Amino acid sequence: MKHRIVVLGAGYAGAYVAGNLARRLSPANTEITVVNAAPDFVQRQRLNQLAAGREIKAPKLGDVFAGTGIRLHVARVTAVDPERGIVAVADSNGGGEVGYDTLVYALGSHVADQRVPGVAEHAFDVASRPAALRLRERLDSLENRGEGGSVVVVGDGLTGIETATEIAESRPGLSVTLIARGELGARLSAGARSHLSQACDRLGITVLEHTSVDAVDAARVLCADATALASDATVWTAGFAVSPIAAAGGLEVTDNGQIVVDRTMRSVSHPSIYAVGDSVYTLGDNGRQLPMNCGSAGFTGRQAINAIVGRLTGRKIANTKLVYQYNAISLGQRDGILQLIDGAAQARPKFLGGRKAVRVKEAIQNGALWGTSHPTFGLPKRRHRLAAQSDRSAEKAVG
């Protein structure tokens, strides 16, 4: 029997892991299945641009995995049962189960409402392609009515900053307000914060610092200081959360649901399961938790690949660097910030701003898309067969 590897999620981390495993492991005794809720690859880094009106590519996963031997199952994961080695899914046929011997958990994250009343009912977000398209439709309707409109972006993280600046630049007829819980750009260097402030001024964005939101209504945002802001479209970017599926399946997770792993990205409670991307809680080489971002997806994915290939083929497992090196921030299409990060996860004094930073961010995004669309490019052509012990364990698991 072949050893069954199942990858849950085909975002930056999941698609990368699946493609690399397909190239490095022999199909003679392994089979790889990717389970993803949508048939397309979503460029999550660009969803704020999609919402603002830009056309963003969404390659078909069937095309991405063509010629790799990877099986694509378009379905929504509903549960994981580690004791039985089963994943429950819901698809167009109603649902079913997918069995595995090795599982890669890469379900990513979604927007977190922070238990603020009205967010789920009235706010928009840019955490998924359907959500970004809903926001885009709303912004279109505000522009088409010819009376302008107000957009309130809640959240001063990178997603909030990029969303507010992209909308303000692309739709100058709309009034944009950005609400920051603390100082806007607090994690940036002093120079970068000044650059960000100037960009917001140039784009006409109203910034409310040291402001908390107590509730969201259909047409306003209620702040903790009793201020009520009129809002025709409230965009919620104040944090992200992971799926509760891992916790419900009995895996050891953190308080926020991220899977606890060892240095090789293997679950500390269930050794047949690996976690990568936003779903995983892991410490970087500096001893601090890796943030939820595309860079972390690449590093954790590469480490999981090395571990899975090493363990299944009886080879030494190489350690991948787990680092947090920079933040690349878009401020619309013609401005940006590249902020380098030091070993203590603090902003370095120097930063790169303007069009050069935009080109760097574009290169990162284009590279991520190209690498995902060509998952086996540049990898060794030799595919490794499983070690005898791995074959026996696979047969035992199937039996």
Side-chain angles (χ1 to χ4, degrees):
M1 296 291 290
K2 291 185 178 182
H3 187 92
R4 303 163 300 170
I5 300 175
V6 174
V7 180
L8 304 183
Y12 292 110
Y16 175 72
V17 170
N20 277 259
L21 290 177
R23 186 63 177 268
R24 295 177 62 178
L25 294 173
S26 171
N29 50 9
T30 57
E31 64 179 33
I32 300 172
T33 300
V34 173
V35 181
N36 197 62
D40 310 312
F41 173 72
V42 175
Q43 295 191 72
R44 188 165 179 179
Q45 296 183 84
R46 293 185 182 270
L47 289 179
N48 62 306
Q49 299 171 357
L50 178 67
R54 290 206 237 175
E55 295 304 319
I56 305 301
K57 294 180 180 178
K60 295 293 183 183
L61 288 172
D63 296 334
V64 169
F65 296 137
T68 64
I70 295 171
R71 302 178 181 182
L72 175 63
H73 188 169
V74 179
R76 180 173 55 87
V77 177
T78 59
V80 172
D81 185 347
E83 307 308 320
R84 297 171 57 214
I86 293 294
V87 176
V89 300
D91 55 23
S92 58
N93 296 320
E97 295 180 336
V98 180
Y100 69 85
D101 301 305
T102 295
L103 183 70
V104 181
Y105 191 106
L107 291 180
S109 61
H110 58 271
V111 69
D113 61 16
Q114 308 293 353
R115 298 183 180 179
V116 174
V119 171
E121 297 83 1
H122 304 298
F124 296 88
D125 67 78
V126 291
S128 68
R129 186 175 176 86
L133 289 173
R134 285 194 295 272
L135 174 57
R136 178 174 177 159
E137 182 179 3
R138 177 58 175 165
L139 298 178
D140 287 342
S141 70
L142 294 178
E143 286 194 325
N144 291 338
R145 72 183 186 181
E147 301 176 1
S150 57
V151 178
V152 176
V153 180
V154 182
D156 56 342
L158 303 189
T159 301
I161 292 170
E162 292 191 329
T163 301
T165 53
E166 187 74 29
I167 292 175
E169 181 184 78
S170 300
R171 301 174 183 267
L174 301 178
S175 172
V176 178
T177 297
L178 176 58
I179 296 180
R181 179 179 290 273
E183 179 185 5
L184 182 64
R187 296 182 180 179
L188 302 176
S189 62
R193 289 197 301 273
S194 176
H195 186 94
L196 173 59
S197 178
Q198 293 173 22
C200 289
D201 290 342
R202 172 175 53 82
L203 294 169
I205 299 171
T206 300
V207 178
L208 300 180
E209 297 182 313
H210 308 289
T211 302
S212 298
V213 173
D214 278 354
V216 175
D217 287 347
R220 62 179 182 169
V221 174
L222 306 177
C223 301
D225 61 1
T227 301
L229 302 175
S231 178
D232 296 301
T234 301
V235 188
W236 192 264
T237 68
F240 296 91
V242 299
S243 168
I245 288 176
L251 278 72
E252 183 172 337
V253 299
T254 60
D255 290 342
N256 71 348
Q258 288 180 297
I259 299 174
V260 181
V261 297
D262 62 17
R263 182 58 175 75
T264 68
M265 303 301 125
R266 184 166 66 170
S267 166
V268 296
S269 60
H270 294 81
S272 64
I273 298 178
Y274 294 78
V276 296
D278 289 356
S279 301
V280 66
Y281 172 84
T282 189
L283 300 181
D285 294 340
N286 60 1
R288 301 171 184 271
Q289 182 183 358
L290 286 180
M292 291 184 180
N293 60 29
C294 183
S296 297
F299 292 126
T300 57
R302 192 174 301 123
Q303 181 61 79
I305 293 163
N306 289 341
I308 292 170
V309 172
R311 290 194 172 102
L312 292 183
T313 64
R315 286 170 168 76
K316 182 179 179 180
I317 299 174
N319 275 350
T320 298
K321 289 184 178 179
L322 301 177
V323 293
Y324 174 29
Q325 299 172 308
Y326 59 84
N327 287 318
I329 311 168
S330 298
L331 304 176
Q333 299 185 49
R334 294 177 292 277
D335 194 6
I337 294 172
L338 178 65
Q339 176 68 72
L340 298 180
I341 305 298
D342 64 20
Q346 300 299 312
R348 296 182 183 276
K350 293 185 177 180
F351 76 99
L352 181 66
R355 291 183 181 272
K356 290 184 179 180
V358 173
R359 288 195 286 270
V360 172
K361 181 64 179 285
E362 285 290 323
I364 292 170
Q365 292 173 328
N366 291 337
L369 175 62
W370 195 94
T372 301
S373 301
H374 303 78
T376 62
F377 179 82
L379 295 176
K381 293 183 178 180
R382 181 183 177 186
R383 298 188 182 187
H384 302 299
R385 293 180 63 91
L386 270 62
Q389 182 177 0
S390 296
D391 286 340
R392 288 196 298 271
S393 65
E395 292 174 5
K396 181 178 180 181
V398 173

